[in-house]
Each structure stands twice: as structure tokens, then as C-alpha cells.
PDB file of all heavy atoms in Angstrom:
ATOM      1  N   ALA A  89       8.252   1.873 -21.948  1.00 96.00           N
ATOM      2  CA  ALA A  89       8.735   2.275 -23.262  1.00 96.00           C
ATOM      3  C   ALA A  89       9.985   3.171 -23.146  1.00 96.00           C
ATOM      4  O   ALA A  89      10.778   3.225 -24.094  1.00 96.00           O
ATOM      5  CB  ALA A  89       7.599   3.066 -23.996  1.00 96.00           C
ATOM      6  N   ASP A  90      10.143   3.809 -21.993  1.00 95.00           N
ATOM      7  CA  ASP A  90      11.304   4.686 -21.746  1.00 95.00           C
ATOM      8  C   ASP A  90      12.454   3.897 -21.021  1.00 95.00           C
ATOM      9  O   ASP A  90      13.286   4.548 -20.411  1.00 95.00           O
ATOM     10  CB  ASP A  90      10.954   5.908 -20.973  1.00 95.00           C
ATOM     11  CG  ASP A  90      10.251   6.901 -21.814  1.00 95.00           C
ATOM     12  OD1 ASP A  90      10.689   7.128 -22.958  1.00 95.00           O
ATOM     13  OD2 ASP A  90       9.250   7.505 -21.377  1.00 95.00           O
ATOM     14  N   SER A  91      12.334   2.561 -21.039  1.00 95.00           N
ATOM     15  CA  SER A  91      13.345   1.678 -20.458  1.00 95.00           C
ATOM     16  C   SER A  91      13.519   1.880 -18.908  1.00 95.00           C
ATOM     17  O   SER A  91      14.634   1.849 -18.368  1.00 95.00           O
ATOM     18  CB  SER A  91      14.741   1.909 -21.148  1.00 95.00           C
ATOM     19  OG  SER A  91      14.690   1.610 -22.471  1.00 95.00           O
ATOM     20  N   LEU A  92      12.403   2.052 -18.302  1.00 97.00           N
ATOM     21  CA  LEU A  92      12.404   2.087 -16.808  1.00 97.00           C
ATOM     22  C   LEU A  92      11.631   0.945 -16.262  1.00 97.00           C
ATOM     23  O   LEU A  92      10.591   0.542 -16.810  1.00 97.00           O
ATOM     24  CB  LEU A  92      11.778   3.373 -16.329  1.00 97.00           C
ATOM     25  CG  LEU A  92      12.580   4.690 -16.481  1.00 97.00           C
ATOM     26  CD1 LEU A  92      11.711   5.906 -16.267  1.00 97.00           C
ATOM     27  CD2 LEU A  92      13.813   4.691 -15.596  1.00 97.00           C
ATOM     28  N   ALA A  93      12.124   0.298 -15.210  1.00 97.00           N
ATOM     29  CA  ALA A  93      11.431  -0.756 -14.536  1.00 97.00           C
ATOM     30  C   ALA A  93      10.396  -0.092 -13.655  1.00 97.00           C
ATOM     31  O   ALA A  93      10.474   1.051 -13.321  1.00 97.00           O
ATOM     32  CB  ALA A  93      12.376  -1.630 -13.653  1.00 97.00           C
ATOM     33  N   VAL A  94       9.312  -0.861 -13.322  1.00 98.00           N
ATOM     34  CA  VAL A  94       8.205  -0.270 -12.603  1.00 98.00           C
ATOM     35  C   VAL A  94       7.757  -1.264 -11.497  1.00 98.00           C
ATOM     36  O   VAL A  94       7.695  -2.505 -11.759  1.00 98.00           O
ATOM     37  CB  VAL A  94       6.973   0.017 -13.505  1.00 98.00           C
ATOM     38  CG1 VAL A  94       5.813   0.597 -12.640  1.00 98.00           C
ATOM     39  CG2 VAL A  94       7.400   0.976 -14.583  1.00 98.00           C
ATOM     40  N   VAL A  95       7.480  -0.736 -10.341  1.00 98.00           N
ATOM     41  CA  VAL A  95       6.935  -1.562  -9.220  1.00 98.00           C
ATOM     42  C   VAL A  95       5.629  -0.838  -8.792  1.00 98.00           C
ATOM     43  O   VAL A  95       5.567   0.407  -8.508  1.00 98.00           O
ATOM     44  CB  VAL A  95       7.859  -1.667  -8.030  1.00 98.00           C
ATOM     45  CG1 VAL A  95       7.170  -2.401  -6.904  1.00 98.00           C
ATOM     46  CG2 VAL A  95       9.102  -2.401  -8.402  1.00 98.00           C
ATOM     47  N   ALA A  96       4.525  -1.573  -8.789  1.00 98.00           N
ATOM     48  CA  ALA A  96       3.240  -1.077  -8.260  1.00 98.00           C
ATOM     49  C   ALA A  96       2.640  -2.077  -7.313  1.00 98.00           C
ATOM     50  O   ALA A  96       2.812  -3.300  -7.488  1.00 98.00           O
ATOM     51  CB  ALA A  96       2.275  -0.880  -9.461  1.00 98.00           C
ATOM     52  N   PHE A  97       1.946  -1.593  -6.288  1.00 98.00           N
ATOM     53  CA  PHE A  97       1.365  -2.509  -5.306  1.00 98.00           C
ATOM     54  C   PHE A  97       0.073  -1.902  -4.737  1.00 98.00           C
ATOM     55  O   PHE A  97      -0.162  -0.697  -4.818  1.00 98.00           O
ATOM     56  CB  PHE A  97       2.383  -2.824  -4.144  1.00 98.00           C
ATOM     57  CG  PHE A  97       2.643  -1.579  -3.244  1.00 98.00           C
ATOM     58  CD1 PHE A  97       2.098  -1.508  -2.006  1.00 98.00           C
ATOM     59  CD2 PHE A  97       3.523  -0.598  -3.719  1.00 98.00           C
ATOM     60  CE1 PHE A  97       2.381  -0.419  -1.190  1.00 98.00           C
ATOM     61  CE2 PHE A  97       3.789   0.501  -2.866  1.00 98.00           C
ATOM     62  CZ  PHE A  97       3.231   0.609  -1.631  1.00 98.00           C
ATOM     63  N   ASP A  98      -0.714  -2.764  -4.098  1.00 98.00           N
ATOM     64  CA  ASP A  98      -1.977  -2.326  -3.432  1.00 98.00           C
ATOM     65  C   ASP A  98      -1.661  -2.079  -1.951  1.00 98.00           C
ATOM     66  O   ASP A  98      -1.189  -3.002  -1.277  1.00 98.00           O
ATOM     67  CB  ASP A  98      -3.059  -3.374  -3.581  1.00 98.00           C
ATOM     68  CG  ASP A  98      -3.453  -3.673  -5.043  1.00 98.00           C
ATOM     69  OD1 ASP A  98      -3.064  -2.852  -5.900  1.00 98.00           O
ATOM     70  OD2 ASP A  98      -4.188  -4.607  -5.294  1.00 98.00           O
ATOM     71  N   LEU A  99      -1.956  -0.902  -1.513  1.00 98.00           N
ATOM     72  CA  LEU A  99      -1.816  -0.587  -0.127  1.00 98.00           C
ATOM     73  C   LEU A  99      -2.713  -1.418   0.771  1.00 98.00           C
ATOM     74  O   LEU A  99      -3.661  -1.964   0.289  1.00 98.00           O
ATOM     75  CB  LEU A  99      -2.044   0.890   0.129  1.00 98.00           C
ATOM     76  CG  LEU A  99      -0.988   1.910  -0.385  1.00 98.00           C
ATOM     77  CD1 LEU A  99      -1.604   3.313  -0.477  1.00 98.00           C
ATOM     78  CD2 LEU A  99       0.222   1.884   0.465  1.00 98.00           C
ATOM     79  N   PRO A 100      -2.379  -1.580   2.067  1.00 97.00           N
ATOM     80  CA  PRO A 100      -3.263  -2.328   2.911  1.00 97.00           C
ATOM     81  C   PRO A 100      -4.728  -1.834   2.844  1.00 97.00           C
ATOM     82  O   PRO A 100      -4.971  -0.587   2.845  1.00 97.00           O
ATOM     83  CB  PRO A 100      -2.676  -2.041   4.317  1.00 97.00           C
ATOM     84  CG  PRO A 100      -1.235  -1.757   4.113  1.00 97.00           C
ATOM     85  CD  PRO A 100      -1.206  -1.037   2.723  1.00 97.00           C
ATOM     86  N   GLY A 101      -5.659  -2.768   2.823  1.00 96.00           N
ATOM     87  CA  GLY A 101      -7.047  -2.409   2.751  1.00 96.00           C
ATOM     88  C   GLY A 101      -7.520  -1.919   1.406  1.00 96.00           C
ATOM     89  O   GLY A 101      -8.638  -1.482   1.274  1.00 96.00           O
ATOM     90  N   HIS A 102      -6.701  -2.073   0.390  1.00 97.00           N
ATOM     91  CA  HIS A 102      -7.055  -1.592  -0.958  1.00 97.00           C
ATOM     92  C   HIS A 102      -6.797  -2.763  -1.972  1.00 97.00           C
ATOM     93  O   HIS A 102      -5.966  -3.611  -1.764  1.00 97.00           O
ATOM     94  CB  HIS A 102      -6.189  -0.437  -1.373  1.00 97.00           C
ATOM     95  CG  HIS A 102      -6.497   0.849  -0.629  1.00 97.00           C
ATOM     96  ND1 HIS A 102      -6.167   1.047   0.702  1.00 97.00           N
ATOM     97  CD2 HIS A 102      -7.163   2.025  -1.044  1.00 97.00           C
ATOM     98  CE1 HIS A 102      -6.562   2.223   1.069  1.00 97.00           C
ATOM     99  NE2 HIS A 102      -7.119   2.812   0.074  1.00 97.00           N
ATOM    100  N   GLY A 103      -7.552  -2.664  -3.079  1.00 96.00           N
ATOM    101  CA  GLY A 103      -7.302  -3.649  -4.164  1.00 96.00           C
ATOM    102  C   GLY A 103      -7.423  -5.089  -3.691  1.00 96.00           C
ATOM    103  O   GLY A 103      -8.376  -5.442  -3.049  1.00 96.00           O
ATOM    104  N   LEU A 104      -6.370  -5.840  -4.023  1.00 96.00           N
ATOM    105  CA  LEU A 104      -6.321  -7.293  -3.645  1.00 96.00           C
ATOM    106  C   LEU A 104      -5.504  -7.535  -2.405  1.00 96.00           C
ATOM    107  O   LEU A 104      -5.356  -8.637  -1.981  1.00 96.00           O
ATOM    108  CB  LEU A 104      -5.780  -8.050  -4.784  1.00 96.00           C
ATOM    109  CG  LEU A 104      -6.568  -8.159  -6.066  1.00 96.00           C
ATOM    110  CD1 LEU A 104      -5.890  -9.019  -7.116  1.00 96.00           C
ATOM    111  CD2 LEU A 104      -7.986  -8.592  -5.813  1.00 96.00           C
ATOM    112  N   SER A 105      -5.035  -6.456  -1.744  1.00 96.00           N
ATOM    113  CA  SER A 105      -4.220  -6.646  -0.511  1.00 96.00           C
ATOM    114  C   SER A 105      -5.190  -6.893   0.663  1.00 96.00           C
ATOM    115  O   SER A 105      -6.321  -6.458   0.684  1.00 96.00           O
ATOM    116  CB  SER A 105      -3.370  -5.404  -0.241  1.00 96.00           C
ATOM    117  OG  SER A 105      -2.305  -5.294  -1.137  1.00 96.00           O
ATOM    118  N   ASP A 106      -4.607  -7.588   1.714  1.00 94.00           N
ATOM    119  CA  ASP A 106      -5.341  -7.797   2.940  1.00 94.00           C
ATOM    120  C   ASP A 106      -5.453  -6.518   3.694  1.00 94.00           C
ATOM    121  O   ASP A 106      -4.887  -5.484   3.387  1.00 94.00           O
ATOM    122  CB  ASP A 106      -4.590  -8.790   3.793  1.00 94.00           C
ATOM    123  CG  ASP A 106      -4.713 -10.252   3.362  1.00 94.00           C
ATOM    124  OD1 ASP A 106      -5.646 -10.494   2.572  1.00 94.00           O
ATOM    125  OD2 ASP A 106      -3.906 -11.048   3.762  1.00 94.00           O
ATOM    126  N   GLY A 107      -6.163  -6.589   4.800  1.00 94.00           N
ATOM    127  CA  GLY A 107      -6.279  -5.475   5.691  1.00 94.00           C
ATOM    128  C   GLY A 107      -7.713  -4.940   5.871  1.00 94.00           C
ATOM    129  O   GLY A 107      -8.615  -5.418   5.182  1.00 94.00           O
ATOM    130  N   GLN A 108      -7.909  -4.093   6.847  1.00 93.00           N
ATOM    131  CA  GLN A 108      -9.243  -3.519   7.033  1.00 93.00           C
ATOM    132  C   GLN A 108      -9.601  -2.683   5.800  1.00 93.00           C
ATOM    133  O   GLN A 108      -8.856  -1.860   5.415  1.00 93.00           O
ATOM    134  CB  GLN A 108      -9.246  -2.573   8.268  1.00 93.00           C
ATOM    135  CG  GLN A 108      -8.784  -3.223   9.561  1.00 93.00           C
ATOM    136  CD  GLN A 108      -8.531  -2.209  10.631  1.00 93.00           C
ATOM    137  OE1 GLN A 108      -9.526  -1.656  11.140  1.00 93.00           O
ATOM    138  NE2 GLN A 108      -7.331  -1.991  10.999  1.00 93.00           N
ATOM    139  N   ARG A 109     -10.741  -3.014   5.238  1.00 95.00           N
ATOM    140  CA  ARG A 109     -11.110  -2.313   3.945  1.00 95.00           C
ATOM    141  C   ARG A 109     -11.097  -0.810   4.160  1.00 95.00           C
ATOM    142  O   ARG A 109     -11.904  -0.284   4.921  1.00 95.00           O
ATOM    143  CB  ARG A 109     -12.459  -2.912   3.508  1.00 95.00           C
ATOM    144  CG  ARG A 109     -12.863  -2.253   2.134  1.00 95.00           C
ATOM    145  CD  ARG A 109     -12.007  -2.647   1.037  1.00 95.00           C
ATOM    146  NE  ARG A 109     -12.373  -2.092  -0.242  1.00 95.00           N
ATOM    147  CZ  ARG A 109     -11.628  -2.039  -1.358  1.00 95.00           C
ATOM    148  NH1 ARG A 109     -10.416  -2.467  -1.254  1.00 95.00           N
ATOM    149  NH2 ARG A 109     -12.112  -1.516  -2.452  1.00 95.00           N
ATOM    150  N   LEU A 110     -10.251  -0.163   3.425  1.00 97.00           N
ATOM    151  CA  LEU A 110     -10.171   1.338   3.354  1.00 97.00           C
ATOM    152  C   LEU A 110      -9.901   1.945   4.706  1.00 97.00           C
ATOM    153  O   LEU A 110     -10.222   3.086   4.945  1.00 97.00           O
ATOM    154  CB  LEU A 110     -11.482   1.922   2.748  1.00 97.00           C
ATOM    155  CG  LEU A 110     -11.781   1.490   1.330  1.00 97.00           C
ATOM    156  CD1 LEU A 110     -13.087   2.076   0.827  1.00 97.00           C
ATOM    157  CD2 LEU A 110     -10.659   1.857   0.334  1.00 97.00           C
ATOM    158  N   ASP A 111      -9.306   1.166   5.626  1.00 97.00           N
ATOM    159  CA  ASP A 111      -9.002   1.671   6.934  1.00 97.00           C
ATOM    160  C   ASP A 111      -7.631   1.217   7.331  1.00 97.00           C
ATOM    161  O   ASP A 111      -6.998   0.311   6.637  1.00 97.00           O
ATOM    162  CB  ASP A 111     -10.060   1.226   7.943  1.00 97.00           C
ATOM    163  CG  ASP A 111     -10.131   2.157   9.115  1.00 97.00           C
ATOM    164  OD1 ASP A 111      -9.298   3.123   9.268  1.00 97.00           O
ATOM    165  OD2 ASP A 111     -11.037   1.969  10.035  1.00 97.00           O
ATOM    166  N   ILE A 112      -7.134   1.717   8.461  1.00 95.00           N
ATOM    167  CA  ILE A 112      -5.728   1.436   8.847  1.00 95.00           C
ATOM    168  C   ILE A 112      -5.561   1.628  10.333  1.00 95.00           C
ATOM    169  O   ILE A 112      -6.355   2.458  10.964  1.00 95.00           O
ATOM    170  CB  ILE A 112      -4.766   2.367   8.069  1.00 95.00           C
ATOM    171  CG1 ILE A 112      -3.339   1.709   8.024  1.00 95.00           C
ATOM    172  CG2 ILE A 112      -4.718   3.771   8.674  1.00 95.00           C
ATOM    173  CD1 ILE A 112      -3.271   0.627   7.015  1.00 95.00           C
ATOM    174  N   ASP A 113      -4.768   0.874  10.995  1.00 95.00           N
ATOM    175  CA  ASP A 113      -4.529   1.118  12.452  1.00 95.00           C
ATOM    176  C   ASP A 113      -3.917   2.442  12.731  1.00 95.00           C
ATOM    177  O   ASP A 113      -4.251   3.165  13.639  1.00 95.00           O
ATOM    178  CB  ASP A 113      -3.639  -0.038  13.047  1.00 95.00           C
ATOM    179  CG  ASP A 113      -4.334  -1.327  13.014  1.00 95.00           C
ATOM    180  OD1 ASP A 113      -5.567  -1.426  12.985  1.00 95.00           O
ATOM    181  OD2 ASP A 113      -3.621  -2.347  13.081  1.00 95.00           O
ATOM    182  N   SER A 114      -2.934   2.818  11.869  1.00 96.00           N
ATOM    183  CA  SER A 114      -2.326   4.190  11.917  1.00 96.00           C
ATOM    184  C   SER A 114      -1.778   4.440  10.560  1.00 96.00           C
ATOM    185  O   SER A 114      -1.491   3.514   9.816  1.00 96.00           O
ATOM    186  CB  SER A 114      -1.208   4.186  12.982  1.00 96.00           C
ATOM    187  OG  SER A 114      -0.111   3.391  12.559  1.00 96.00           O
ATOM    188  N   PHE A 115      -1.634   5.710  10.211  1.00 97.00           N
ATOM    189  CA  PHE A 115      -1.163   6.101   8.888  1.00 97.00           C
ATOM    190  C   PHE A 115       0.222   5.446   8.593  1.00 97.00           C
ATOM    191  O   PHE A 115       0.579   5.090   7.447  1.00 97.00           O
ATOM    192  CB  PHE A 115      -1.056   7.580   8.745  1.00 97.00           C
ATOM    193  CG  PHE A 115      -0.909   8.062   7.315  1.00 97.00           C
ATOM    194  CD1 PHE A 115      -1.982   8.304   6.532  1.00 97.00           C
ATOM    195  CD2 PHE A 115       0.384   8.221   6.752  1.00 97.00           C
ATOM    196  CE1 PHE A 115      -1.832   8.780   5.200  1.00 97.00           C
ATOM    197  CE2 PHE A 115       0.532   8.680   5.481  1.00 97.00           C
ATOM    198  CZ  PHE A 115      -0.536   8.913   4.678  1.00 97.00           C
ATOM    199  N   GLY A 116       1.008   5.306   9.682  1.00 96.00           N
ATOM    200  CA  GLY A 116       2.372   4.771   9.431  1.00 96.00           C
ATOM    201  C   GLY A 116       2.341   3.345   8.918  1.00 96.00           C
ATOM    202  O   GLY A 116       3.412   2.876   8.396  1.00 96.00           O
ATOM    203  N   GLN A 117       1.258   2.661   8.977  1.00 97.00           N
ATOM    204  CA  GLN A 117       1.218   1.331   8.497  1.00 97.00           C
ATOM    205  C   GLN A 117       1.321   1.322   6.974  1.00 97.00           C
ATOM    206  O   GLN A 117       1.878   0.384   6.345  1.00 97.00           O
ATOM    207  CB  GLN A 117      -0.109   0.587   8.916  1.00 97.00           C
ATOM    208  CG  GLN A 117      -0.021  -0.920   8.853  1.00 97.00           C
ATOM    209  CD  GLN A 117      -1.124  -1.569   9.631  1.00 97.00           C
ATOM    210  OE1 GLN A 117      -2.139  -0.982   9.935  1.00 97.00           O
ATOM    211  NE2 GLN A 117      -0.958  -2.931   9.901  1.00 97.00           N
ATOM    212  N   TYR A 118       0.803   2.341   6.332  1.00 98.00           N
ATOM    213  CA  TYR A 118       0.988   2.460   4.863  1.00 98.00           C
ATOM    214  C   TYR A 118       2.505   2.609   4.513  1.00 98.00           C
ATOM    215  O   TYR A 118       2.964   2.026   3.567  1.00 98.00           O
ATOM    216  CB  TYR A 118       0.277   3.747   4.386  1.00 98.00           C
ATOM    217  CG  TYR A 118      -1.201   3.692   4.397  1.00 98.00           C
ATOM    218  CD1 TYR A 118      -1.930   4.776   4.872  1.00 98.00           C
ATOM    219  CD2 TYR A 118      -1.947   2.628   3.913  1.00 98.00           C
ATOM    220  CE1 TYR A 118      -3.327   4.763   4.906  1.00 98.00           C
ATOM    221  CE2 TYR A 118      -3.293   2.592   3.937  1.00 98.00           C
ATOM    222  CZ  TYR A 118      -4.002   3.654   4.406  1.00 98.00           C
ATOM    223  OH  TYR A 118      -5.354   3.656   4.470  1.00 98.00           O
ATOM    224  N   THR A 119       3.197   3.383   5.347  1.00 98.00           N
ATOM    225  CA  THR A 119       4.608   3.623   5.141  1.00 98.00           C
ATOM    226  C   THR A 119       5.376   2.266   5.363  1.00 98.00           C
ATOM    227  O   THR A 119       6.327   1.966   4.619  1.00 98.00           O
ATOM    228  CB  THR A 119       5.177   4.697   6.023  1.00 98.00           C
ATOM    229  OG1 THR A 119       4.306   5.818   5.937  1.00 98.00           O
ATOM    230  CG2 THR A 119       6.571   5.086   5.673  1.00 98.00           C
ATOM    231  N   LYS A 120       4.999   1.512   6.337  1.00 97.00           N
ATOM    232  CA  LYS A 120       5.617   0.216   6.598  1.00 97.00           C
ATOM    233  C   LYS A 120       5.391  -0.719   5.427  1.00 97.00           C
ATOM    234  O   LYS A 120       6.268  -1.543   5.099  1.00 97.00           O
ATOM    235  CB  LYS A 120       5.097  -0.388   7.885  1.00 97.00           C
ATOM    236  CG  LYS A 120       5.508   0.333   9.169  1.00 97.00           C
ATOM    237  CD  LYS A 120       4.856  -0.240  10.396  1.00 97.00           C
ATOM    238  CE  LYS A 120       5.347  -1.648  10.748  1.00 97.00           C
ATOM    239  NZ  LYS A 120       4.730  -2.120  11.990  1.00 97.00           N
ATOM    240  N   ALA A 121       4.259  -0.564   4.805  1.00 98.00           N
ATOM    241  CA  ALA A 121       3.978  -1.399   3.574  1.00 98.00           C
ATOM    242  C   ALA A 121       4.946  -1.052   2.489  1.00 98.00           C
ATOM    243  O   ALA A 121       5.439  -1.901   1.762  1.00 98.00           O
ATOM    244  CB  ALA A 121       2.473  -1.177   3.142  1.00 98.00           C
ATOM    245  N   LEU A 122       5.116   0.249   2.253  1.00 98.00           N
ATOM    246  CA  LEU A 122       6.123   0.649   1.234  1.00 98.00           C
ATOM    247  C   LEU A 122       7.515   0.065   1.562  1.00 98.00           C
ATOM    248  O   LEU A 122       8.203  -0.400   0.679  1.00 98.00           O
ATOM    249  CB  LEU A 122       6.190   2.178   1.155  1.00 98.00           C
ATOM    250  CG  LEU A 122       7.239   2.764   0.164  1.00 98.00           C
ATOM    251  CD1 LEU A 122       7.055   2.223  -1.261  1.00 98.00           C
ATOM    252  CD2 LEU A 122       7.122   4.267   0.207  1.00 98.00           C
ATOM    253  N   ARG A 123       7.898   0.094   2.782  1.00 98.00           N
ATOM    254  CA  ARG A 123       9.234  -0.427   3.126  1.00 98.00           C
ATOM    255  C   ARG A 123       9.303  -1.903   2.903  1.00 98.00           C
ATOM    256  O   ARG A 123      10.276  -2.451   2.490  1.00 98.00           O
ATOM    257  CB  ARG A 123       9.570  -0.057   4.624  1.00 98.00           C
ATOM    258  CG  ARG A 123       9.659   1.421   4.873  1.00 98.00           C
ATOM    259  CD  ARG A 123      10.400   1.713   6.142  1.00 98.00           C
ATOM    260  NE  ARG A 123      11.828   1.421   6.055  1.00 98.00           N
ATOM    261  CZ  ARG A 123      12.745   2.079   6.742  1.00 98.00           C
ATOM    262  NH1 ARG A 123      12.427   3.106   7.503  1.00 98.00           N
ATOM    263  NH2 ARG A 123      14.025   1.746   6.605  1.00 98.00           N
TER     264      ARG A 123
END
């Protein structure tokens, strides 16, 4: 409504994304997902 575009995504292991459920090989994998 304020004329901003929005991007939202499910982190690895969350929502509909693949990955070990609620787990990660290392925290940096979340950051790689954002990139």
C-alpha cells in the first residue's frame, strides 16, 4: 500500500523449502540462502 515491492522466502528447513527440518549444517547456510 506504500508502493514498496516485497520479497519473502522460506529459509532452509522451514515452510515449503527443502532442507533438514528446523536444522542446518552451519548458520552460514541461512546467509547463503539470502544471497
Side-chain angles (χ1 to χ4, degrees):
D90 284 318
S91 298
L92 288 168
V94 180
V95 174
F97 69 103
D98 295 350
L99 286 164
H102 291 72
L104 295 182
S105 290
D106 283 344
Q108 306 171 68
R109 182 64 180 164
L110 300 177
D111 205 354
I112 205 75
D113 292 338
S114 69
F115 193 90
Q117 201 166 16
Y118 291 134
T119 311
K120 290 174 70 175
L122 175 57
R123 296 197 72 151

